[in-house]
Amino acid sequence: MGNLPRGIGICTTIPDILYLPELVFGGLVWILVASTLVVPANPQAWVMFVSLFCFCVTFIWMVMFFCGTHNNRGSWAAADVAYHGIAAFFYLSASVALAKVTLEIKDTTPLNSQNYKLDISAVVFSYVATLLYVVHTIFSAIRWKSF
């Protein structure tokens, strides 16, 4: 029978230990994208939406698991898989859009410009966040199958 952690147990079990790195890297993407100025604002707006949405929902999800509101029900395990799968898909789409914009501005700005360096950092952290959400989805699905 599966078991959903509560309290400090979320810091000791896979995949729940990934909440904190997801928050850190998602926050870094959010901060780095917010501090740059890029002419095509539409892809940047999508990246900001994804990073802010996933940061807030992941934090709320972590707090709910910490408080034990799930009562160890299988539906919460399924919801965990669904949320992290959607977040992984969103982050992947945002990462690709951010990388495309960064490659496009490479030709119009000097490579040593501050905005270009911030965009490169945001792209790297965005792909790391994507990887974290994918890994969390996989391990959550394994846990869900045990319910």
Side-chain angles (χ1 to χ4, degrees):
M1 181 76 178
N3 188 18
L4 294 174
R6 65 174 43 154
I8 201 70
I10 66 169
C11 295
T12 60
T13 58
I14 296 284
D16 304 303
I17 199 167
L18 296 174
Y19 284 130
L20 292 178
E22 289 167 359
L23 289 172
V24 168
F25 286 103
L28 284 171
V29 172
W30 176 22
I31 291 167
L32 289 168
V33 171
S35 64
T36 63
L37 175 64
V38 177
V39 176
N42 194 18
Q44 297 290 65
W46 173 245
V47 175
M48 283 295 292
F49 167 76
V50 169
S51 61
L52 184 58
F53 172 79
C54 289
F55 184 87
C56 292
V57 174
T58 299
F59 181 75
I60 292 168
W61 200 251
M62 183 182 72
V63 168
M64 288 178 13
F65 265 66
F66 185 82
C67 294
T69 57
H70 51 71
N71 293 325
N72 206 28
R73 283 189 241 137
S75 59
W76 278 83
D80 191 38
V81 173
Y83 164 66
H84 283 92
I86 291 168
F89 177 74
F90 277 6
Y91 253 112
L92 180 61
S93 67
S95 299
V96 170
L98 186 60
K100 181 182 179 299
V101 168
T102 303
L103 286 174
E104 287 174 357
I105 67 167
K106 176 183 165 187
D107 299 330
T108 59
T109 58
L111 294 180
N112 61 354
S113 79
Q114 187 69 20
N115 281 338
Y116 182 71
K117 290 178 182 177
L118 290 173
D119 273 345
I120 290 291
S121 300
V123 168
V124 170
F125 290 137
S126 183
Y127 277 109
V128 170
T130 302
L131 178 64
L132 287 169
Y133 278 103
V134 167
V135 170
H136 198 137
T137 302
I138 292 168
F139 283 111
S140 291
I142 292 169
R143 177 173 60 194
W144 176 45
K145 295 210 38 128
S146 70
F147 269 89

